[in-house]
Amino acid sequence: MAVKRVCLAYSGGLDTSVILHWLIERYGCEVVAYTADVGQEEELAGLPEKARASGAIDCVIRDLREEFVRDFVFLALRGAAVYEGSYLLGTALARPLIAFHQAKVARETGCDAVAHGATGKGNDQVRFELAFRALAPELAVIAPWREWDLRSRTDCIAYCEKYGIPVTATLKKPYSIDRNLMHVSFEGGILEDPWREPDEDMFILTQSAEAAPDEPTQIVIGFRRGTPSSIDGEDLSPAALLTRLNALAGAHGVGRVDMVENRFVGLKSRGVYETPGGTVLHLAHRAMESITMDRDVMHERDRLAPRLAELIYNGFWYSPEMDVMRAAIDASQGNVTGDVRVKLYKGCAVVTGRRSPCSLYDPELATSEDMGSDALYDPRDATGFIRLQGLRLRKP
Ligand code: ARG
C-alpha cells in the first residue's frame, strides 16, 4: 500500500509515539497528529511540540467534550442503552466521535490515510474502522498493532530507545485505562483473572462505599425532552452537567461496575468501570419517564434498548439502522420533561421523588382512598376485563 500522508489518532503516550515514528519509517509518509479531547484529563499542553519532535508535520487538537456528551452520551441515555445489563458504553460512545473528527481532519490536511493505535483483539479497532468506512471510504486505514512485529510494551520502549523517541516514562499500570467524561474503564493485565478483586487504589472517579461520607446528598436533576439540563435548578451545559454529577456521585461511591462482557470480535473480557454521573442519569431518566411516558411507548422503547446498546457497542453508530433507532428514540422523548430527586449514599443512588408539568400520573385516578366509581375508571369494569383475560386460563 502506498500512502503519502497519514492522519494518526495520537495521545502522546508510548504506543502512539512509537506508531508515529513507525509510520514514517514503514511507509515513507508524512504524519499529521490528531488529538481529540473527550475529557480524558491528560496533559494537552506541549502535545504539538512532542508530536513534531517525533516527526509529525502538524498536530491538530479538537475539543470534543460538549459534542461528546450532547450528541453521544445523552442519546444513549434517552435510549436507555446498557450493554449486557451493566456496561453504560463510555468507551464505545466516544469512538465514533473521535473517528468522525479524525476523518474530517484527514480531509482538511490532505491525508490519504488514517491510522489508530487500537489493538488487534479489541472492539475499538472495529468501531474506528466501521466509522471510517461509513464516513470516508476513500481513506486507507492503517492499524499498526495488526501489522508490525512489536508485541509488548517492552518492545515499544526498546523501539523508542533505538530511535531516540521522546517518551515521558510513566510508571506502567498493571492494567489498561480508557478515560473520558463519561467513565473510566480498566481491563487487561492483572484484571484478566475474573476472580481477582481490583485494588482499591486503582479507582479514579469514585470513592469506595466504605470510605464514602456518612451523610447522604440529595440532588434534583432537571430534564427537557429526555435530556438532562439542570442540577438543583441551575442550567448547565452537557459537559458541565456530567462533570458536576461525576464529582457528586463519585464522592458517594456510586457507579462502579465489575463484569465479564462479550466483545464483538468473539471473546469474553473482564472490564471494570466507573461511571458515577452516567449511573445517576440513567436512574433519574427512567424515573422521569415513569410519570411522563405512555406505557406502550415506554415498552416499545425498552424493546429497542438492548439492540441500541448492541449497535453502539459493536461500532455501528454511523449506519442506516442507527438512523432508524435515533428517530424512534427521539420520538419517544417529547414528553419526558420535569425534575427527579435522587439521594446519594454509600455506593447507592436512590430516587426519592419526581414531578413534571406534563405528568401523566393522575392522583385522582390512582388513589386508593376512594374505591367508588367515576366516569374514567369504574372498578366494576374490571370484573369483565379480568373475566375475559381469564377465559383461556380455565383448566378444562
Ligand atoms: N471494554 C470496553 C469497550 O469495549 C472498554 C475498552 C477500552 N478500555 C480500556 N481500558 N482499554 O467498550
Side-chain angles (χ1 to χ4, degrees):
M1 184 166 54
V3 294
K4 288 201 208 55
R5 189 178 291 171
V6 181
C7 179
L8 166 67
Y10 172 78
S11 71
L14 175 64
D15 293 18
T16 54
S17 298
V18 172
I19 291 174
L20 207 172
H21 186 276
W22 178 87
L23 286 169
I24 299 168
E25 284 281 299
R26 164 74 181 74
Y27 289 96
C29 61
E30 295 175 333
V31 175
V32 174
Y34 151 77
T35 304
D37 182 359
V38 286
Q40 64 270 40
E41 300 287 332
E42 276 163 15
E43 195 50 69
L44 295 174
L47 209 58
E49 292 71 25
K50 196 171 178 184
R52 286 202 186 82
S54 302
I57 57 162
D58 198 0
C59 180
V60 180
I61 299 176
R62 291 274 186 269
D63 181 353
L64 308 180
R65 288 174 297 177
E66 290 292 350
E67 193 179 352
F68 174 51
V69 182
R70 188 187 64 224
D71 298 344
F72 291 76
V73 174
F74 285 175
L75 176 73
L77 178 69
R78 291 193 294 273
V82 182
Y83 186 67
E84 295 185 340
S86 304
Y87 174 35
L88 298 184
L89 297 162
T91 295
L93 285 164
R95 296 318 187 198
L97 172 67
I98 295 170
F100 177 89
H101 285 274
Q102 187 176 357
K104 222 167 139 219
V105 168
R107 283 176 170 165
E108 286 163 6
T109 55
C111 292
D112 51 1
V114 282
H116 63 75
T119 64
K121 278 191 161 184
N123 294 312
D124 286 332
Q125 53 177 344
V126 183
R127 297 169 183 151
F128 279 122
E129 293 178 41
L130 290 180
F132 293 143
R133 284 289 71 88
L135 300 169
E138 81 282 6
L139 295 174
V141 177
I142 304 173
W145 276 109
R146 303 201 300 254
E147 228 186 280
W148 64 22
D149 44 22
L150 306 183
R151 282 288 160 269
S152 62
R153 188 182 162 87
T154 320
D155 289 354
C156 289
I157 293 171
Y159 186 99
C160 289
E161 278 165 6
K162 182 168 168 196
Y163 292 101
I165 299 165
V167 281
T168 8
T170 49
L171 213 63
K172 161 127 178 81
K173 303 255 192 233
Y175 37 76
S176 134
I177 297 183
D178 180 62
R179 179 173 182 182
N180 59 42
L181 266 180
M182 173 75 160
H183 83 168
V184 179
S185 117
F186 308 88
E187 60 183 42
I190 58 174
L191 296 172
E192 282 166 13
D193 171 4
W195 184 249
R196 184 188 164 128
E197 186 177 353
D199 301 333
E200 187 48 45
D201 66 5
M202 177 181 84
F203 294 99
I204 295 171
L205 297 178
T206 57
Q207 276 292 354
S208 68
E210 293 90 331
D214 291 325
E215 289 304 312
T217 299
Q218 294 248 38
I219 52 173
V220 175
I221 301 171
F223 288 87
R224 277 190 215 117
R225 296 177 176 275
T227 298
S229 56
S230 67
I231 296 177
D232 293 332
E234 184 186 347
D235 280 339
L236 293 166
S237 76
L241 186 140
L242 189 53
T243 303
R244 172 97 50 103
L245 220 43
N246 279 337
L248 288 166
H252 285 279
V254 171
R256 290 187 185 180
V257 166
D258 184 331
M259 70 187 289
V260 173
E261 71 199 45
N262 289 292
R263 286 190 186 162
F264 191 28
V265 290
L267 41 95
K268 290 191 188 293
S269 158
R270 197 271 191 95
V272 179
Y273 301 100
E274 299 180 272
T275 319
T279 300
V280 173
L281 286 178
H282 271 274
L283 178 80
H285 177 254
R286 185 165 286 280
M288 191 77 269
E289 290 181 336
S290 71
I291 57 166
T292 54
M293 214 171 184
D294 172 75
R295 178 189 70 185
D296 282 39
V297 172
M298 183 192 288
H299 293 184
E300 291 302 341
R301 199 286 316 276
D302 283 348
R303 271 185 276 272
L304 294 179
R307 180 67 188 131
L308 173 68
E310 198 169 75
L311 288 186
I312 295 169
Y313 188 86
N314 290 352
F316 291 92
W317 187 269
Y318 299 107
S319 68
E321 64 273 31
M322 185 71 187
D323 294 340
V324 173
M325 206 68 99
R326 189 179 287 118
I329 286 159
D330 285 341
S332 76
Q333 298 292 305
N335 205 48
V336 184
T337 295
D339 298 321
V340 174
R341 194 177 54 235
V342 178
K343 183 186 284 187
L344 309 170
Y345 181 64
K346 291 280 180 198
C348 293
V350 180
V351 172
T352 62
R354 70 291 281 155
R355 66 181 175 199
S356 169
C358 32
S359 178
L360 304 177
Y361 176 82
D362 183 342
E364 295 275 304
L365 220 49
T367 184
S368 53
E369 287 299 308
D370 175 12
M371 286 302 177
S373 62
D374 66 35
L376 275 176
Y377 194 109
D378 184 339
R380 285 172 300 190
D381 293 342
T383 309
F385 176 76
I386 297 163
R387 187 186 301 130
L388 294 186
Q389 289 294 331
L391 256 190
R392 68 190 175 85
L393 304 180
R394 289 156 57 116
K395 293 275 182 298

